[in-house]
């Protein structure tokens, strides 16, 4: 069975600084991987997805993620955080649709 | 409809009562999922329906929880004899499933049903 581990339950950054949200997966083969975002009191929205076409995936709102098979990772990054990025972020392997525990991103002014 | 529709959006009930939560997926989506999100927690997988296959019920927390999907479309999640720990937002999602049965498609979520058990 596949699963994901989000290594940080909470990440706090200052506005304008880089964001790194970590996700590791366990699988015997290259999976598809998604990142979803959930803003406060809002529904979940797809941020980006990896489906083996390219290892560096660009998503909405300036986020991107790089699939690294050697590290079994799919970390989410953004060069410069904005206040509106404050939200809960979830990594998920679509084949079994089990979500990671989520990482809450706080952006300080 | 254009998106996944869930009802009711809010439900307050007394401990011990039964509740039913409804999900109307996007037309044509063969896969349907139920998740539970407790306050400040991640998404807990509950159950998965795919076409006419037997549902994956491995996430249901107890036998008080059940779900059905009629005609491959609308789904109802039923919680019997509700307890206070059942209070949460129940999210439904649907997606297309690629050939071969592997789900590589985007999940589309409803707004959720917020259940409060007093």
């Amino acid at each position: 069975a596949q699963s994901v581990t989000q290594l940080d339950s909470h990440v706090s950054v200052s506005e304008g600084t880089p964001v790194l949200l970590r996700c590791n997966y366990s699988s015997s083969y290259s999976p598809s991987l998604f990142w979803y975002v959930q803003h406060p009191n809002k529904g979940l929205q797809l941020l980006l997805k990896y489906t083996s076409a390219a290892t560096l995936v660009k998503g909405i709102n300036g986020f991107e993620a790089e699939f690294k098979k050697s590290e079994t990772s799919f970390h989410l990054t953004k060069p410069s955080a904005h206040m509106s990025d404050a939200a809960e972020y979830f990594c998920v392997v679509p084949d079994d649709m089990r979500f990671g525990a989520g990482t809450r991103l706080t952006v300080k002014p | 409809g254009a998106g996944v529709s869930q009802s009711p959006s809010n439900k307050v009930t007394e401990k011990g009562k039964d509740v039913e939560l409804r999900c109307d997926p996007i037309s044509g989506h063969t896969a349907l999922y139920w998740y539970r999100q407790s306050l400040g927690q991640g998404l807990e997988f509950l159950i998965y329906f795919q076409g006419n296959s037997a549902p994956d019920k491995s996430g249901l927390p107890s036998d008080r929880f059940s779900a059905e999907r009629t005609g491959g479309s609308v789904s109802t999640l039923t919680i019997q004899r509700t307890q206070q720990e059942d209070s949460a937002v129940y999210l439904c999602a649907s997606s297309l499933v690629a050939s071969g049965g592997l789900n590589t498609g985007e999940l589309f979520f409803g707004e959720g049903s917020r259940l409060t058990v007093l």
Side-chain angles (χ1 to χ4, degrees):
Chain A
Q2 301 181 53
S3 66
V4 293
T5 302
Q6 291 187 243
L7 299 169
D8 308 291
S9 61
H10 185 206
V11 169
S12 181
V13 301
S14 297
E15 190 174 21
T17 65
V19 176
L20 170 64
L21 306 180
R22 298 182 293 169
C23 173
N24 284 93
Y25 69 93
S26 61
S27 174
S28 59
Y29 57 95
S30 296
S32 297
L33 287 159
F34 294 170
W35 275 99
Y36 278 82
V37 59
Q38 185 181 33
H39 287 94
N41 299 315
K42 296 287 181 65
L44 282 94
Q45 178 184 19
L46 182 68
L47 198 56
L48 51 80
K49 63 180 179 181
Y50 165 76
T51 56
S52 77
T55 56
L56 182 62
V57 182
K58 295 187 183 298
I60 61 174
N61 301 333
F63 283 92
E64 61 182 37
E66 185 173 8
F67 177 78
K68 292 186 177 180
K69 187 174 181 178
S70 61
E71 299 176 7
T72 60
S73 69
F74 190 56
H75 301 335
L76 183 69
T77 61
K78 183 173 180 178
S80 176
H82 190 272
M83 297 297 291
S84 62
D85 294 327
E88 191 85 19
Y89 292 81
F90 296 95
C91 183
V92 59
V93 175
D95 286 355
D96 67 6
M97 288 305 179
R98 263 69 170 178
F99 279 68
T103 299
R104 183 159 53 94
L105 175 65
T106 301
V107 182
K108 298 175 291 186
Chain B
V4 177
S5 177
Q6 291 188 246
S7 63
S9 56
N10 278 285
K11 176 72 175 179
V12 180
T13 191
E14 293 179 348
K15 178 181 173 181
K17 301 283 189 183
D18 297 352
V19 297
E20 286 189 350
L21 307 176
R22 176 189 167 102
C23 174
D24 200 341
I26 292 173
S27 178
H29 280 192
T30 57
L32 186 148
Y33 306 80
W34 283 98
Y35 294 90
R36 178 169 70 175
Q37 187 173 32
S38 303
L39 187 63
Q41 301 297 310
L43 270 71
E44 176 187 5
F45 167 81
L46 297 177
I47 188 169
Y48 163 51
F49 295 91
Q50 167 48 31
N52 295 321
S53 302
D56 177 354
K57 303 179 181 180
S58 59
L60 294 178
S62 77
D63 59 8
R64 295 187 296 105
F65 288 72
S66 63
E68 63 178 21
R69 188 179 184 191
T70 55
S73 181
V74 173
S75 177
T76 302
L77 177 69
T78 301
I79 309 173
Q80 295 178 310
R81 306 180 303 282
T82 53
Q83 303 295 313
Q84 288 183 330
E85 60 262 29
D86 299 334
S87 297
V89 176
Y90 289 83
L91 293 165
C92 176
S94 70
S95 73
L96 289 170
V97 175
S99 61
L102 286 179
N103 193 344
T104 59
E106 177 181 354
L107 277 178
F108 293 83
F109 282 86
E111 293 290 319
S113 292
R114 182 177 297 278
L115 175 65
T116 302
V117 182
L118 301 177

